[in-house]
Amino acid sequence: MNSALKVLRKYYGYENFRGDQNNVIESILSGRDTMAIMPTGGGKSICYQIPALLFKGITIVISPLISLMKDQVDSIKDLGIGAAYINSSISQSEILNICSDLKNGDIKILYVAPERLESTDFCHLIKSMQVSQVAVDEAHCVSQWGHDFRVSYTYIWKFIDDFSKRPVVTAFTATATEEVRVDIVNQIKLNNPAVFISGFDRKNLKISCLKVGNRFQHMLNYIKTNGEQSGIIYAATRKEVDSLYEKLKANNISAGRYHAGLSSVDREKNQEDFVYDRINVIVATNAFGMGIDKSNVRFVIHYNIPKNIESYYQEIGRAGRDGETSECILMFAPQDIITQKYLIETSIQSPERRINEYKKLQYMVDFVHYNGCLRKYILNYFGEHVDYEECGNCSNCIRKGEYVDKTVDSQKVLSCIYRMKREFGVNMIVDVLRGSSQKKVLQYGFDKISTYGIMKNYSKSQLSNFINTLIAQGYISLKEGEYPMVILNSQSVKILKGEEKVVLKEPAKAEKIITNSDLFEILRSCRREIADEESIPPYLIFADTTLRELSSRYPVTSEQMLDISGVGELKLKKYGNRFLKIIREYVEKNKIQPSWFFKGDLQKNHEGKSNKLKTFEITINMIKDNMSIEEISRKRELTVSTVVSHITKYLEEGEKFNLNVKFDNLFTIDEENKVLKVIEKLGLSKLKPIKESLPDNISYDKIKAIILKDCILDN
Ligand code: ADP
Ligand code: MG
Ligand code: ZN
């Protein structure tokens, strides 16, 4: 086994490298400058931390944010790795302590704020040590093209240039654009760097775009349904943040807020409450997020349209860093485009840049109206080739929600607008359609037009929701101005003439992103207790993924616990006993046979199974604990087919428990459709002819999984 992998397993407790991690690390270890571009949550930190441990001297990590730095250092110290940070919050005497630790070799990784590089004292100090690597995290901050430009990043090259023996220089970012990449190489003066660019897809993020009339109500339902989960709500302006915050509080939601109008003390406190799981949701402007490494953010809601795809993707990227299923919901209302245009007009001086921003905003608006796969749209925007038509995990690919023909009701609304002759806001139209006898309505003589009172069957809020939905869908336009006025457009004309139908999808009911089992909840409160005792955020102790694995595999010995992803040697030593005790009690009480869940023990326990779980029941338990088929097959070292056969057996035994089977990325919607079509023709009796009528890349595993899915839907 190579030494990097050993470190990964021993310290981090992870079984294998992800994506490019191994290649990046090898490149760094060979002494070559290296730049890695990986999506948020891709695991960039490990790429410079493992070489830092294997190199002789120290590694300096340049990182832009103080809050980020503290959490990062806490998290590696918690793994048993010597680390420290220096920024403006650290006193001179502490700095001296750190320096002596550096000299003694007690500290392998030193995080510094870029401003430090401007201090000659500091540079002098550093130059007297053996530095083997300078790692620049969030390297896009060096680029004026990026969104987080920092002047002090432009001094990095000088800092490196002054070493008598040049260290290996490495740079990391999630920003994908070509301009930024080129800037990083030039500005930091990377020396013939090896460049690694990973795919940007974040498969665990479900991407939804909703055009609902009543956004707040929808959001509230969603948050209530997902009560115990962490989420971020982005809004376009401070005013909107404040108003949403108040409304959520009034509805008893545990919420905080964050925007540049709050004092820095309040901002810091609210951010910390969120990171430490003291509040569930935070309502924020786009000022919030950099410096949030919290790995268990389960949803990100955009209450307003963001200014461009870059910001949008970065913001939704804050969900699901731990790789768990997470959801991103964009709620669209056309008024928001007007807000964004206003922000461009008032905040950008240069005419060229303004045009550029308008262009980017248009891509964002097109995204909202796009009918194809939303994930594919985004990846294509970043220049990434995608070889599927449907991802199966965005609101356009998931065929949930009922379609209803609303053509006649739409025609009523449109013809009313037409007959009112002048321009009005939504409320006035609602009043006329509902036959209100308000003074203004009568004054204009609207009680005389033929559409007066023809939609009394709608309540006031239902009707205004309906009209807002028509606006969101583009069947009516809004005219910009102090008060948005409703006007007809070419789309409206087609509807009025009966040339096109209005078919609306009723938005699917708010659903739970993920269900926590009771053991998960017990372990989670234990994690919180420890976090309080140690004053570090809970996710740093164990990620949600680790808790989930603990709660579905039931390790009861230290050895078994080490087999859980995210449990390294030090964490086992520090926290193992507390968690093991809980699991042992749980296993005892619920008569679970834990050793079934670990390799090697499987065969041993095959005999004498009378009062133990049958192998297929273990699979079912894991399904109930929310693990996907792929995960189960990996954890239990069974083929996908076997796992599928377990579920089938369970169903055949007549169990009617509502199984929520996660098929994840086992097959695409496209493949599913193909298989279903063939089955319709050939029937289900034999698999071989089905396989032979399909393209080669559709394996037996896939076919079996698709059949299972179809069968579950039928149940
Ligand atoms: P980035 O900086 O690229 O956004 P991080 O370095 O913060 O991502 O890593 C995100 C999460 O993924 C962390 O919780 C980290 O521990 C986890 N992680 C990183 N590498 C692996 C791996 N090889 N296996 C499992 N989890 C990993
Ligand atoms: Mg990072
Ligand atoms: Zn899709």
Side-chain angles (χ1 to χ4, degrees):
M1 202 196 307
N2 73 31
S3 40
L5 190 59
K6 268 191 205 145
V7 172
L8 182 77
R9 294 192 178 162
K10 176 173 162 162
Y11 286 96
Y12 296 86
Y14 296 136
E15 197 51 26
N16 285 305
F17 286 113
R18 269 192 201 153
D20 277 335
Q21 278 178 332
N22 197 23
N23 298 332
V24 173
I25 291 170
E26 263 175 26
S27 161
I28 299 173
L29 288 175
S30 79
R32 185 168 170 192
D33 281 5
T34 302
M35 170 162 81
I37 297 166
M38 291 181 180
T40 313
K44 290 184 280 292
S45 324
I46 280 180
C47 293
Y48 56 80
Q49 288 169 359
I50 290 185
L53 286 172
L54 293 169
F55 278 138
K56 263 218 176 85
I58 56 181
T59 284
I60 307 239
V61 182
I62 299 169
S63 170
L65 272 176
I66 294 180
S67 57
L68 192 74
M69 220 174 268
K70 181 174 177 313
D71 285 353
Q72 281 182 331
V73 169
D74 281 346
S75 83
I76 37 185
K77 277 163 89 174
D78 211 37
L79 298 171
I81 299 169
Y85 64 98
I86 295 184
N87 58 32
S88 54
S89 75
I90 303 288
S91 72
Q92 205 53 37
S93 68
E94 281 172 291
I95 293 183
L96 290 178
N97 278 339
I98 292 172
C99 287
S100 81
D101 285 348
L102 283 167
K103 287 207 171 105
N104 297 337
D106 292 338
I107 292 179
K108 292 294 286 178
I109 307 180
L110 178 69
Y111 280 76
V112 299
E115 295 75 29
R116 286 279 129 183
L117 308 181
E118 294 166 52
S119 140
T120 37
D121 278 356
F122 174 77
C123 292
H124 206 73
L125 236 156
I126 291 298
K127 305 274 146 80
S128 65
M129 325 233 174
Q130 189 193 349
V131 176
S132 348
Q133 177 187 203
V134 173
V136 184
D137 203 5
E138 314 290 349
H140 60 277
C141 291
V142 83
S143 170
Q144 309 226 26
W145 293 104
H147 24 75
D148 309 306
F149 174 63
R150 286 178 183 240
V151 183
S152 43
Y153 262 60
T154 58
Y155 298 104
I156 294 177
W157 73 270
K158 183 101 190 41
F159 170 72
I160 295 165
D161 212 37
D162 281 349
F163 280 98
S164 49
K165 184 173 181 299
R166 189 178 184 278
V168 184
V169 183
T170 57
F172 302 87
T173 179
T175 303
T177 59
E178 180 70 27
E179 293 158 330
V180 174
R181 265 179 238 161
V182 171
D183 252 11
I184 293 173
V185 174
N186 292 339
Q187 294 274 340
I188 305 179
K189 296 203 202 274
L190 295 176
N191 181 10
N192 179 31
V195 178
F196 297 89
I197 301 173
S198 308
F200 274 78
D201 198 359
R202 298 279 313 280
K203 292 200 173 67
N204 62 319
L205 301 187
K206 175 179 170 192
I207 300 172
S208 304
C209 180
L210 295 183
K211 299 165 184 170
V212 289
N214 191 337
R215 287 188 277 184
F216 186 77
Q217 195 54 45
H218 195 86
M219 178 169 86
L220 190 62
N221 287 344
Y222 183 85
I223 296 174
K224 282 191 171 157
T225 311
N226 287 291
E228 69 277 34
Q229 310 289 3
S230 283
I232 306 174
I233 298 157
Y234 280 111
T237 61
R238 295 175 193 183
K239 214 169 116 193
E240 182 102 273
V241 168
D242 287 337
S243 113
L244 288 177
Y245 168 76
E246 298 297 343
K247 273 158 84 180
L248 288 174
K249 290 295 261 190
N251 282 281
N252 295 321
I253 302 292
S254 136
R257 64 179 148 172
Y258 191 103
H259 61 63
L262 302 172
S263 72
S264 64
V265 177
D266 283 347
R267 276 202 310 261
E268 226 161 86
K269 178 180 178 302
N270 298 348
Q271 170 169 328
E272 203 184 276
D273 282 349
F274 180 64
V275 172
Y276 280 71
D277 290 349
R278 291 181 205 123
I279 51 174
N280 292 333
V281 298
I282 188 147
V283 195
T285 59
N286 60 7
F288 180 79
M290 254 274 264
I292 302 297
D293 259 6
K294 182 175 162 71
S295 69
N296 59 341
V297 175
R298 288 278 79 81
F299 62 87
V300 170
I301 295 177
H302 280 87
Y303 198 79
N304 305 110
I305 194 171
K307 63 176 184 222
N308 53 43
I309 304 274
E310 284 89 343
S311 314
Y312 173 65
Y313 203 53
Q314 197 188 34
E315 283 155 14
I316 66 172
R318 290 173 185 138
R321 272 166 178 267
D322 52 12
E324 290 262 282
T325 309
S326 306
E327 187 161 12
C328 314
I329 304 177
L330 168 59
M331 308 232 230
F332 175 69
Q335 302 87 290
D336 296 345
I337 302 174
I338 301 172
T339 313
Q340 285 301 345
K341 287 186 175 163
Y342 174 80
L343 290 174
I344 293 175
E345 283 300 322
T346 51
S347 68
I348 298 174
Q349 306 293 325
S350 138
E352 294 112 84
R353 282 200 53 208
R354 223 181 285 162
I355 291 174
N356 195 30
E357 288 303 315
Y358 274 119
K359 218 167 76 193
K360 286 182 165 180
L361 175 60
Q362 191 54 46
Y363 276 106
M364 193 67 231
V365 175
D366 291 348
F367 171 78
V368 168
H369 294 298
Y370 189 60
N371 284 323
C373 175
L374 297 175
R375 186 180 309 276
K376 190 169 173 171
Y377 181 100
I378 298 173
L379 294 173
N380 285 341
Y381 179 86
F382 290 117
E384 189 168 323
H385 172 76
V386 178
D387 57 9
Y388 52 74
E389 278 310 310
E390 298 195 349
C391 70
N393 199 20
C394 75
S395 54
N396 284 350
C397 290
I398 298 170
R399 295 157 296 178
K400 272 198 184 142
E402 299 238 323
Y403 286 95
V404 244
D405 189 332
K406 291 276 187 191
T407 311
V408 175
D409 280 354
S410 308
Q411 285 170 334
K412 288 181 184 170
V413 172
L414 296 175
S415 89
C416 184
I417 297 171
Y418 176 72
R419 275 160 225 278
M420 284 164 73
K421 299 274 193 281
R422 255 174 276 201
E423 289 161 7
F424 292 95
V426 172
N427 288 340
M428 184 69 165
I429 297 160
V430 169
D431 281 343
V432 176
L433 281 165
R434 295 190 67 249
S436 148
S437 47
Q438 271 220 8
K439 212 162 133 210
K440 230 172 151 194
V441 174
L442 304 181
Q443 242 169 26
Y444 281 107
F446 289 149
D447 53 334
K448 309 270 170 359
I449 63 178
S450 60
T451 48
Y452 180 73
I454 55 169
M455 292 186 86
K456 279 187 180 141
N457 56 329
Y458 276 74
S459 76
K460 214 170 169 158
S461 69
Q462 276 174 341
L463 189 52
S464 94
N465 283 344
F466 179 57
I467 296 177
N468 277 318
T469 308
L470 292 178
I471 297 171
Q473 298 280 347
Y475 295 118
I476 315 175
S477 295
L478 273 187
K479 197 169 148 191
E480 307 177 21
E482 196 178 350
Y483 301 103
M485 302 289 186
V486 178
I487 51 175
L488 301 182
N489 58 26
S490 58
Q491 213 36 44
S492 334
V493 178
K494 283 186 196 149
I495 308 297
L496 275 170
K497 285 188 181 162
E499 289 170 6
E500 249 178 54
K501 283 192 173 311
V502 178
V503 181
L504 297 181
K505 192 157 117 181
E506 302 269 289
K509 275 218 317 280
E511 281 178 22
K512 274 194 172 204
I513 313 162
I514 202 162
T515 325
N516 295 337
S517 70
D518 52 347
L519 180 56
F520 182 93
E521 288 299 343
I522 303 170
L523 296 175
R524 186 156 89 150
S525 64
C526 170
R527 176 177 73 175
R528 250 192 95 160
E529 252 168 49
I530 300 176
D532 279 345
E533 289 162 20
E534 301 197 355
S535 314
I536 56 173
Y539 75 91
L540 289 185
I541 291 167
F542 283 132
D544 279 16
T545 22
T546 303
L547 290 194
R548 196 153 323 272
E549 205 175 320
L550 288 171
S551 66
S552 52
R553 289 179 73 203
Y554 315 103
V556 289
T557 64
S558 301
E559 216 178 19
Q560 290 172 346
M561 182 128 175
L562 269 180
D563 200 44
I564 304 290
S565 176
V567 183
E569 285 179 6
L570 188 80
K571 292 223 173 172
L572 176 72
K573 218 161 97 196
K574 277 176 90 171
Y575 311 123
N577 280 338
R578 283 173 80 163
F579 285 92
L580 283 172
K581 181 163 176 277
I582 294 175
I583 299 170
R584 284 193 199 114
E585 279 166 11
Y586 187 88
V587 158
E588 180 90 354
K589 202 171 120 209
N590 292 282
K591 302 198 176 24
I592 293 161
Q593 178 59 253
S595 50
W596 276 97
F597 298 84
F598 294 88
K599 348 174 185 164
D601 295 327
L602 267 176
Q603 268 65 38
K604 250 190 323 206
N605 283 294
H606 230 3
E607 288 86 16
K609 55 187 138 193
S610 49
N611 58 354
K612 290 172 191 160
L613 287 174
K614 294 181 199 140
T615 174
F616 83 93
E617 287 171 340
I618 295 168
T619 297
I620 299 302
N621 276 351
M622 290 166 103
I623 294 269
K624 286 180 185 166
D625 270 320
N626 242 305
M627 294 170 96
S628 71
I629 294 183
E630 268 174 318
E631 268 176 291
I632 299 171
S633 104
R634 210 171 48 237
K635 299 263 151 72
R636 297 200 61 199
E637 299 192 322
L638 300 170
T639 62
V640 166
S641 285
T642 308
V643 175
V644 167
S645 75
H646 286 168
I647 305 169
T648 312
K649 182 163 167 38
Y650 174 81
L651 293 173
E652 278 167 7
E653 295 210 341
E655 293 291 344
K656 280 282 165 274
F657 181 82
N658 216 347
L659 274 194
N660 177 19
V661 180
K662 287 204 287 189
F663 292 90
D664 282 10
N665 307 307
L666 278 182
F667 47 81
T668 64
I669 296 248
D670 203 38
E671 291 169 335
E672 186 180 349
N673 287 336
K674 281 191 185 129
V675 172
L676 290 179
K677 228 180 239 152
V678 170
I679 291 177
E680 213 164 278
K681 232 175 33 216
L682 299 179
L684 260 174
S685 55
K686 283 213 177 84
L687 280 185
K688 195 148 179 254
I690 298 177
K691 170 88 176 94
E692 280 165 359
S693 325
L694 288 161
D696 282 347
N697 63 336
I698 304 187
S699 61
Y700 276 109
D701 275 359
K702 286 187 181 181
I703 297 173
K704 285 184 184 166
I706 291 167
I707 293 174
L708 174 65
K709 183 173 173 192
D710 196 44
C711 153
I712 289 175
L713 288 180
D714 279 352
N715 257 333

